[in-house]
Amino acid sequence: MEHLFIQGKKDVTLLLLHGTGGNEHDLLSVGKQIDPDANILSVRGNVIEYGMPRFFKRKAIGVFDEESLVEETHNLCDFVRSSGTKYKFDCKKVVAIGYSNGANIAVSVLFHYEQAFQKAILFHPMVPLRNIDLANLKGTKVFIGAGKADRMMPEHEVEELTQMLHSANADVEVFWTEYGHQLSREEIKAAQAWYQNKSQAHFEE
Ligand code: MLT
């Protein structure tokens, strides 16, 4: 996959996953704000929709091509693993940071794999798949950034996703803003505070 890797000063790797029409440069400043010392692996989605990179195909806005989603979910996990070998980072210490379409594939990874991510920061995710046996996410910490005026991701879907992740034993926190689908400064700050808090707790465990 098209990507960039930035070596950090500690053994944690942020996996950055952009929204539709974005690329591997989009979330670099967000990643740096969340953890300036971590490695960064930022990936460009494999699928092109009218010239716009995405992480999986869709049939219409909000209607996903599940076959493509599942295939790309496995591709992304394989890619992270092979990058771990290439760049010598610990695949057990990966923190996903995804926005919109990137958050949706991160959710799909969480649904499929038990230990793919130590933590996940999901900005404006949806429920990308239903009727799936969820992986056991005990020990996985998830932050969800959501907007009350987000028409792509209505409140009931945020609740459904939270429920699903809880039922898979993840530790989930949801942060609400009054905004729509855009990535807001408030939620990035909240994610940063959440990340520091959870990293500290992890250290003390
Ligand atoms: C998706 O296709 O993943 C969602 O509709 C969000 C987006 O447009 O990227």
Side-chain angles (χ1 to χ4, degrees):
M1 297 178 83
E2 286 282 335
H3 68 282
L4 55 87
F5 180 77
I6 303 170
Q7 180 72 50
K9 294 192 207 116
K10 69 185 199 202
D11 194 15
V12 171
T13 302
L14 306 181
L15 172 67
L16 306 184
L17 304 164
H18 61 79
T20 298
N23 63 39
E24 63 277 25
H25 298 281
D26 286 12
L27 293 176
L28 288 180
S29 67
V30 175
K32 286 276 174 209
Q33 278 178 69
I34 305 266
D35 189 342
D37 294 330
N39 304 317
I40 287 182
L41 177 65
S42 191
V43 186
R44 189 187 306 177
N46 261 341
V47 166
I48 301 291
E49 180 188 84
Y50 302 113
M52 297 184 296
R54 284 176 54 81
F55 286 95
F56 54 90
K57 293 182 195 157
R58 64 180 162 183
K59 296 179 172 164
I61 302 274
V63 184
F64 301 148
D65 178 331
E66 290 195 6
E67 208 177 298
S68 165
L69 172 59
V70 172
E71 189 184 329
E72 292 300 334
T73 298
H74 298 311
N75 281 343
L76 179 62
C77 283
D78 290 346
F79 177 75
V80 172
R81 268 190 224 124
S82 61
S83 299
T85 310
K86 180 172 173 191
Y87 297 115
K88 300 186 175 39
F89 64 77
D90 186 347
C91 287
K92 293 212 172 72
K93 294 185 183 160
V94 174
V95 178
I97 304 179
Y99 166 62
S100 190
N101 182 246
N104 290 341
I105 196 151
V107 173
S108 179
V109 172
L110 289 170
F111 283 0
H112 284 89
Y113 290 90
E114 272 176 25
Q115 288 183 344
F117 304 143
Q118 207 176 41
K119 301 186 188 73
I121 296 178
L122 309 171
F123 295 118
H124 305 266
M126 298 161 74
V127 177
L129 275 177
R130 292 182 173 84
N131 307 319
I132 165 174
D133 285 334
L134 301 178
N136 185 353
L137 297 175
K138 192 166 177 356
T140 306
K141 298 170 176 72
V142 180
F143 172 96
I144 296 177
K148 293 230 164 93
D150 187 346
R151 291 209 212 118
M152 298 269 260
M153 185 211 182
E155 221 167 311
H156 65 82
E157 193 159 339
V158 180
E159 274 151 26
E160 185 186 353
L161 177 61
T162 307
Q163 272 282 321
M164 288 176 87
L165 293 168
H166 269 151
S167 75
N169 306 312
D171 166 346
V172 189
E173 190 166 310
V174 184
F175 178 80
W176 286 99
T177 67
E178 298 298 322
Y179 306 121
H181 197 63
Q182 76 269 29
L183 185 51
S184 69
R185 216 175 303 158
E186 282 86 341
E187 64 192 318
I188 297 169
K189 273 184 87 175
Q192 183 192 29
W194 171 89
Y195 177 88
Q196 276 170 3
N197 207 325
K198 293 293 175 191
S199 303
Q200 188 67 24
H202 189 80
F203 188 65
E204 283 165 2
E205 263 163 22

